[in-house]
Amino acid sequence: MNQTRSPQPGDIHDYAALRQSGTHPDRARTELDLRPGQARRLERVFRARALRGEGDRQLPKFAHHDRHVRAVMAQGGFWALSEKRIGRDGVAVCLPLVPPVAGRRR
């Protein structure tokens, strides 16, 4: 007989991943099968971390660092999405990514 393990109550990382993806707190509680008290505690922790600037643990911290931005800009800048003209006055942002223009300072 093949038994599957029932999901365990989610920890803050599971909860934060759902919340950062736009999931409503009630939906996150349901998806993680949390008791109301557990959900309230995880929401408090989630909000406290966000206030301290910890934010999304999946994003690279260095990418938000001022020194990193200055270093990239000194090397020519960031890659950008390309643009396509639509009609006379319209512009659509699209793929492919375009490398920074060599020698151009922003």
Side-chain angles (χ1 to χ4, degrees):
M1 183 175 172
N2 185 7
Q3 290 183 343
T4 58
R5 186 173 70 91
S6 63
Q8 297 297 311
D11 65 2
I12 185 59
H13 304 294
D14 295 332
Y15 187 82
L18 285 172
R19 293 288 286 119
Q20 288 162 353
S21 69
T23 305
H24 188 275
D26 293 336
R27 175 74 181 177
R29 182 178 69 81
T30 301
E31 286 189 32
L32 295 173
D33 195 29
L34 300 171
R35 293 186 310 273
Q38 290 174 304
R40 283 192 301 273
R41 182 183 61 81
L42 290 175
E43 182 66 18
R44 278 194 308 271
V45 171
F46 173 75
R47 289 178 185 235
R49 286 182 175 186
L51 286 174
R52 289 193 305 266
E54 293 179 21
D56 190 345
R57 298 175 67 93
Q58 296 173 346
L59 292 177
K61 298 289 186 201
F62 191 66
H64 300 291
H65 201 276
D66 290 339
R67 284 183 293 181
H68 171 71
V69 173
R70 281 193 299 273
V72 171
M73 295 307 288
Q75 295 173 13
F78 293 91
W79 283 62
L81 291 167
S82 56
E83 295 178 351
K84 178 180 177 182
R85 304 284 301 156
I86 299 177
R88 215 172 49 197
D89 299 323
V91 176
V93 177
C94 54
L95 292 174
L97 289 175
V98 180
V101 177
R104 187 173 115 194
R105 291 267 163 143
R106 293 182 187 187

